[in-house]
Amino acid sequence: MLEPPKTFLPHGGNYKDLAVYKKATVIYDMTFYFAHRYLQKSDRTIDQMVQAARSGKQNIAEGSSASTTSSETELKLMNVARASMQELLVDYQDFLRVNHLKQWELSDADSIKTRNYCKSHQEPEDFMRDIDKRTPEAIANIVITLIHQFDNIMGKLIERLEKDFVAKGGIRERMTAARLGYRNQQNDEIQRLQEENRRLQAEIERLQALLGL
């Protein structure tokens, strides 16, 4: 009996469980607060920063959701998310520079403490709690740290997606493989039935000969 063809569609995961999405959510929440709190209302950078942070978050969600039907679209949107965060990184660096504030060096105590905290904390409330008590310099540097960690995780995710795409192909390749697999299964079943039919025919002929028919 033929089994139904195996699906060629991969199972998409829950993007909200991705570490890179959790980082993006924290970055968005902090950026929304920062831009509206420390930039002038007439400054176009407010919208630019918020939109860049939103793009980083939303494109992960859209890319992950599209993974079921299009690996190409998933890869494209993940790269868009990564590029959006790089744009946001420059905005924070510019803010620190033009306001004569310090961007922490890797060896600074505050930088080391922040990197360790950001690695072990993923939820927005971990960063939004008492944010109004932090200086704009501190908030900017925390978000810069988060963006660097985001970029590192996203780079590894994109690399894995690229390897999966090369190994498994896109939707067209998987559809073709599924069709060929089903056809091969059909051919094997037909061959089995033909062999069974020949065996039964030979048995009938043997019995007829034995009975003198």
Side-chain angles (χ1 to χ4, degrees), residues 63-146:
S64 182
S65 298
S67 65
T68 300
T69 55
S70 177
S71 298
E72 296 94 330
T73 300
E74 181 184 21
L75 266 171
K76 177 181 178 181
L77 292 175
M78 292 300 181
N79 275 293
V80 171
R82 191 180 191 185
S84 295
M85 288 300 187
Q86 287 301 307
E87 177 186 341
L88 182 62
L89 172 64
V90 174
D91 284 331
Y92 275 107
Q93 291 171 333
D94 285 346
F95 176 86
L96 291 174
R97 187 183 67 258
V98 299
N99 287 283
H100 307 290
L101 300 174
K102 180 182 179 182
Q103 181 174 340
W104 299 338
E105 299 290 339
L106 290 177
S107 58
D108 290 348
D110 286 335
S111 179
I112 295 172
K113 182 179 178 180
T114 298
R115 289 200 304 274
N116 290 333
Y117 185 88
C118 292
K119 285 180 181 178
S120 58
H121 293 77
Q122 305 287 347
E123 302 302 325
E125 53 266 27
D126 294 330
F127 295 84
M128 297 303 295
R129 188 184 303 113
D130 297 328
I131 193 173
D132 56 325
K133 297 178 181 178
R134 298 186 183 278
T135 65
E137 178 182 292
I139 296 174
N141 275 286
I142 291 171
V143 178
I144 287 173
T145 300
L146 286 166

Side-chain angles (χ1 to χ4, degrees), residues 18-205:
L18 293 173
V20 71
Y21 182 81
K22 292 180 178 180
K23 292 282 186 192
T25 301
V26 173
I27 292 169
Y28 174 80
D29 288 2
M30 293 189 71
T31 297
F32 189 91
Y33 173 88
F34 179 89
H36 289 93
R37 175 70 174 79
Y38 294 111
L39 300 180
Q40 297 294 326
K41 291 183 179 180
S42 59
D43 193 340
R44 292 177 56 190
T45 308
I46 293 177
D47 289 338
Q48 291 171 355
M49 292 182 72
V50 172
Q51 286 304 314
R54 183 180 184 278
S55 174
K57 182 171 71 74
Q58 294 302 108
N59 277 291
I60 294 171
E62 293 177 21
S64 182
S65 298
S67 65
T68 300
T69 55
S70 177
S71 298
E72 296 94 330
T73 300
E74 181 184 21
L75 266 171
K76 177 181 178 181
L77 292 175
M78 292 300 181
N79 275 293
V80 171
R82 191 180 191 185
S84 295
M85 288 300 187
Q86 287 301 307
E87 177 186 341
L88 182 62
L89 172 64
V90 174
D91 284 331
Y92 275 107
Q93 291 171 333
D94 285 346
F95 176 86
L96 291 174
R97 187 183 67 258
V98 299
N99 287 283
H100 307 290
L101 300 174
K102 180 182 179 182
Q103 181 174 340
W104 299 338
E105 299 290 339
L106 290 177
S107 58
D108 290 348
D110 286 335
S111 179
I112 295 172
K113 182 179 178 180
T114 298
R115 289 200 304 274
N116 290 333
Y117 185 88
C118 292
K119 285 180 181 178
S120 58
H121 293 77
Q122 305 287 347
E123 302 302 325
E125 53 266 27
D126 294 330
F127 295 84
M128 297 303 295
R129 188 184 303 113
D130 297 328
I131 193 173
D132 56 325
K133 297 178 181 178
R134 298 186 183 278
T135 65
E137 178 182 292
I139 296 174
N141 275 286
I142 291 171
V143 178
I144 287 173
T145 300
L146 286 166
I147 293 174
H148 282 308
Q149 291 183 355
F150 170 95
D151 189 72
N152 181 54
I153 299 171
M154 179 60 84
K156 293 177 181 177
L157 175 59
I158 289 174
E159 182 179 1
R160 180 180 64 78
L161 292 174
E162 289 174 342
K163 288 180 179 178
D164 286 347
F165 179 74
V166 171
K168 302 176 184 177
I171 183 67
R172 296 182 184 88
E173 290 82 358
R174 294 197 295 274
M175 289 175 68
T176 299
R179 286 196 297 267
L180 290 175
Y182 189 54
R183 287 175 185 172
N184 289 337
Q185 187 183 29
Q186 286 180 312
N187 291 336
D188 290 344
E189 182 68 6
I190 291 171
Q191 183 178 355
R192 186 189 69 78
L193 291 173
Q194 288 174 339
E195 291 175 353
E196 179 68 11
N197 185 59
R198 286 192 292 269
R199 187 189 68 78
L200 291 173
Q201 186 62 38
E203 181 65 14
I204 291 171
E205 292 174 359

